[in-house]
Amino acid sequence: MTEKEFYEEFGNIDPELIEAAAPKARKRKKILAVRLIAVAACLTVIIISAFMIVPRLVPEETTDIPQEEPKNIERKIFVYDPYDSSGDIMGDVDFWHDRGFLPGAWLYHPETDAIEEKDRVFEILGKEYRMKHTGGGSRRVKTPSEKVGSMMLDSYREENTKGTEGMHITLYRETGQIFYLSTGEDYRYPIGTAIISEEEVCKIANEAIVSIYGEEIAAKYQLKEVISGGNYGVVFARYVHGIPTNDEIHFSISHDGRLLRVRADMFGAFENMENEVSEADIEESKKLLINNVSEDVDISYYQIMLNEDGKYYLCLTGNMRTEAGGIFYAYVNIN
Amino acid sequence: MEDKQIVELYWDRSEVAIEETDKKYGRYCHYIAYQILENDEDAKEVVNDTYLKTWQNIPPDRPEHLRAYVGMISRQIALNAYEKNHAKKRGNFALALDELAECLPSKDEDLRIVPGVAMRESLNGFLRGLPPKTRNIFIRRYWYTSSISEIADEYSMKESAVAMLLLRTRNKLKTHLQKEGFNV
């Protein structure tokens, strides 16, 4: 055995041992010079702002987000530390996994007494598919906190096909909308070098969402991101008060522009959301994350999520600016 | 997102699985690769290859510990890249390789090392028998290829103390492998 082989063999030790020894975030070593520079920079900004030299960066017009004072809500923050990199930098914060807490669950979709659908014809992007009803009923969902829920689905497959070939569609029985669609093609990633542009992919995805969900529903979703690398992933999200939610519809489109797959896990979950979320609520949540984790956290992203307890949470993603890095997800209740 | 959910995304062949893996473990994989290759661009390439390999392997795999799973893949890809790109050994990784090689019985002895399951079980047994701090430091050095100075800083120890701890543990490992019969 060579030294390299031995080194490779050492690589196969038990995962728990590897996890336990993972690098941790290091405390930022504050150097006096850095502090002085930071203070000087702050003073400079204040002086310049006072003389109105720097133009306003915040537009006068407000966005969709209402400009309100923070509501008098008792905020709770739950933090998820996926790298286990918190070390001793965290204060007295609830960790989500200790509480069995995880926003975003299928429990939103209830059971219903609707009658099962029979065979039918679906029209997808101008093409008709004669589909046979293959089954329906309750789909059991077990969440991380061991809570069990269910939702009613109906499944269809294209006539005269077998196995995974042909069109497969699963509908939410409650609303009759598509939960899942697959054209049956092999969409292993990647399957080929992309020959269409992202712009063309977006056009296809926009046509698909209108074709599948209708214009009225499609208008409630905004294109959020495009993931490329062989095949394409296009994500539409439902926005509420200008903030993306985790009611997302994912489209898989092939490298040459064919629709492969659609999936809508939390479809309609925010249809009846009455809660108002103001810019002040967001700023308050950001401060909570920074105060509870570290001043070295950059808030890179946030979205509204629905938890299995039926409540809405603002989920913030924070990246550590320190060398060791690290990501934190914080969930703050907004109702 | 929890590991189980990400794994389910792989099984569902959803490309979002890769995005979520990147969000959660991108830096982790980069760290592992960088420790071996000591080059940011090479490390990034390893991370991308890790996602591709993970996509190809899940399914049929269904890893329980996703972090360790992608970490192992990154480590192996980085090792292969190192082997390919470095005719002459240098740097932190080369040093770690040389250190760990001390645990192998000397070439003068008439020995046969048996790789595979037996070796893995023996290494696991050895590591589990160590005090936790010693074990973690040893794994940091020879699995994560962290430098001695980084380890010393994290564990608030002197570098010389870390080096001594590693030396003694390597000697114990060598004795352990011999006792386990990894020789003839």
Side-chain angles (χ1 to χ4, degrees):
Chain A
M1 178 180 272
T2 65
E3 57 196 26
K4 182 179 171 269
E5 284 170 346
F6 186 57
Y7 199 85
E8 284 178 348
E9 205 54 49
F10 195 81
N12 294 325
I13 57 175
D14 284 345
E16 308 91 76
L17 300 178
I18 298 167
E19 294 270 351
K24 292 178 174 37
R26 287 175 286 178
K27 282 184 189 175
R28 193 169 71 119
K29 288 181 183 170
K30 289 187 166 59
I31 304 169
L32 182 60
V34 171
R35 282 187 178 177
L36 288 174
I37 290 169
V39 168
C42 287
L43 283 174
T44 305
V45 168
I46 290 168
I47 291 167
I48 289 173
S49 299
F51 283 98
M52 302 289 282
I53 294 173
V54 174
R56 283 179 63 86
L57 298 177
V58 177
E60 295 287 351
E61 297 288 330
T62 59
T63 64
D64 283 343
I65 304 172
Q67 302 292 326
E68 290 178 12
E69 291 298 313
K71 294 183 277 297
N72 193 21
I73 296 174
E74 186 187 339
R75 303 282 187 197
K76 286 287 289 179
I77 179 168
F78 299 87
V79 180
Y80 176 41
D81 177 12
Y83 283 113
D84 193 23
S85 54
S86 61
D88 57 358
I89 68 170
M90 301 285 295
D92 188 18
V93 175
D94 289 321
F95 279 89
W96 74 273
H97 56 272
D98 292 334
R99 294 292 191 91
F101 174 99
L102 183 66
W106 288 340
L107 297 176
Y108 154 74
H109 288 281
E111 300 209 19
T112 175
D113 293 329
I115 299 169
E116 285 183 19
E117 291 279 350
K118 300 301 179 190
D119 300 351
R120 54 182 280 187
V121 175
F122 286 86
E123 187 181 323
I124 308 288
L125 288 172
K127 188 178 171 187
E128 281 191 353
Y129 295 90
R130 296 194 168 278
M131 311 280 287
K132 294 188 75 62
H133 185 256
T134 58
S138 177
R139 180 169 177 167
R140 305 292 280 175
V141 176
K142 197 171 184 183
T143 65
S145 65
E146 304 298 312
K147 195 170 175 181
V148 177
S150 62
M151 57 179 179
M152 302 294 287
L153 301 172
D154 279 294
S155 298
Y156 300 81
R157 69 170 303 139
E158 196 176 351
E159 276 182 354
N160 304 319
T161 60
K162 55 184 178 181
T164 56
E165 65 183 33
M167 178 71 78
H168 288 71
I169 290 176
T170 304
L171 302 181
Y172 286 107
R173 186 179 289 180
E174 182 199 8
T175 58
Q177 298 296 340
I178 286 183
F179 158 64
Y180 177 84
L181 176 154
S182 168
T183 59
E185 290 190 62
D186 182 0
Y187 47 83
R188 273 178 294 179
Y189 172 95
I191 64 171
T193 306
I195 59 172
I196 59 171
S197 65
E198 279 194 16
E199 198 180 327
E200 286 166 313
V201 164
C202 290
K203 186 167 174 288
I204 294 166
N206 274 304
E207 286 170 1
I209 194 172
V210 170
S211 171
I212 290 169
Y213 294 99
E215 284 192 15
E216 192 181 333
I217 289 175
K220 296 178 182 177
Y221 289 82
Q222 294 179 36
L223 197 149
K224 182 182 150 194
E225 65 181 315
V226 179
I227 305 158
S228 58
N231 291 335
Y232 287 97
V234 181
V235 182
F236 288 83
R238 183 77 179 264
Y239 280 67
V240 176
H241 305 302
I243 304 167
T245 69
N246 68 330
D247 175 0
E248 294 178 346
I249 305 178
H250 293 237
F251 291 82
S252 296
I253 295 168
S254 72
H255 65 296
D256 57 355
R258 287 170 289 114
L259 180 66
L260 300 175
R261 194 164 166 274
V262 181
R263 186 159 178 141
D265 279 293
M266 295 287 290
F267 181 81
F270 298 86
E271 185 73 33
N272 300 314
M273 180 179 161
E274 293 172 355
N275 305 65
E276 293 280 331
V277 183
S278 68
E279 199 169 332
D281 290 329
I282 296 169
E283 288 308 308
E284 193 187 341
S285 300
K286 285 182 184 176
K287 281 178 194 160
L288 258 181
L289 172 56
I290 290 167
N291 290 341
N292 279 281
V293 174
S294 167
E295 62 190 11
D296 290 323
V297 166
D298 280 326
I299 312 292
S300 59
Y301 181 68
Y302 50 83
Q303 71 178 163
I304 299 174
M305 301 181 95
L306 177 63
N307 188 32
E308 61 187 38
D309 62 6
K311 293 181 182 167
Y312 297 100
Y313 290 81
L314 195 61
C315 172
L316 305 112
T317 305
N319 297 81
M320 288 291 284
R321 268 183 251 118
T322 59
E323 196 181 302
I327 290 180
F328 296 90
Y329 299 112
Y331 303 96
V332 180
N333 60 307
I334 53 176
N335 50 264
Chain B
M1 189 178 280
E2 207 189 352
D3 282 0
K4 275 184 191 165
Q5 288 182 299
I6 300 177
V7 171
E8 282 308 313
L9 286 173
Y10 278 104
W11 273 79
D12 287 343
R13 307 318 278 164
S14 165
E15 288 90 353
V16 175
I18 294 172
E19 184 195 338
E20 291 297 324
T21 306
D22 183 49
K23 257 194 232 171
K24 205 171 171 184
Y25 300 128
R27 285 183 194 248
Y28 175 78
C29 293
H30 185 275
Y31 175 88
I32 292 169
Y34 188 85
Q35 295 302 111
I36 294 171
L37 299 170
E38 295 178 274
N39 177 284
D40 192 50
E41 287 307 316
D42 288 346
K44 281 180 187 166
E45 210 173 302
V46 166
V47 172
N48 283 335
D49 288 344
T50 298
Y51 299 151
L52 177 57
K53 188 92 179 162
T54 305
W55 182 266
Q56 288 169 343
N57 290 353
I58 305 174
D61 287 354
R62 195 182 278 275
E64 282 233 23
H65 301 272
L66 186 60
R67 175 161 70 167
Y69 185 85
V70 296
M72 282 182 183
I73 293 174
S74 289
R75 189 178 187 271
Q76 189 56 54
I77 294 173
L79 277 174
N80 294 341
Y82 182 89
E83 180 92 336
K84 196 174 149 192
N85 297 333
H86 294 73
K88 210 171 173 184
K89 289 194 290 187
R90 55 182 172 82
N92 177 53
F93 172 64
L95 203 57
L97 208 61
D98 285 343
E99 287 168 19
L100 201 61
E102 292 170 17
C103 301
L104 289 173
S106 71
K107 288 175 183 154
D108 293 337
E109 301 168 41
D110 181 14
L111 298 171
R112 183 184 65 211
I113 297 291
V114 180
V117 174
M119 170 68 81
R120 184 167 69 241
E121 291 309 311
S122 183
L123 285 170
N124 282 325
F126 170 75
L127 290 168
R128 288 187 187 281
L130 295 171
K133 185 176 172 182
T134 304
R135 177 173 63 235
N136 289 343
I137 288 175
F138 198 76
I139 292 172
R140 278 296 296 280
R141 179 68 181 141
Y142 301 117
W143 198 94
Y144 287 97
T145 327
S146 299
S147 66
I148 289 180
S149 61
E150 186 183 341
I151 296 170
D153 186 49
E154 184 166 316
Y155 285 87
S156 303
M157 294 169 66
K158 287 185 182 174
E159 289 187 30
S160 55
V162 172
M164 182 57 67
L165 183 150
L166 289 169
L167 173 64
R168 287 181 182 148
T169 311
R170 289 197 304 271
N171 289 339
K172 281 186 195 169
L173 176 57
K174 183 172 179 176
T175 307
H176 171 83
L177 289 175
Q178 286 171 335
K179 277 187 186 167
E180 289 271 292
F182 285 98
N183 54 23
V184 290

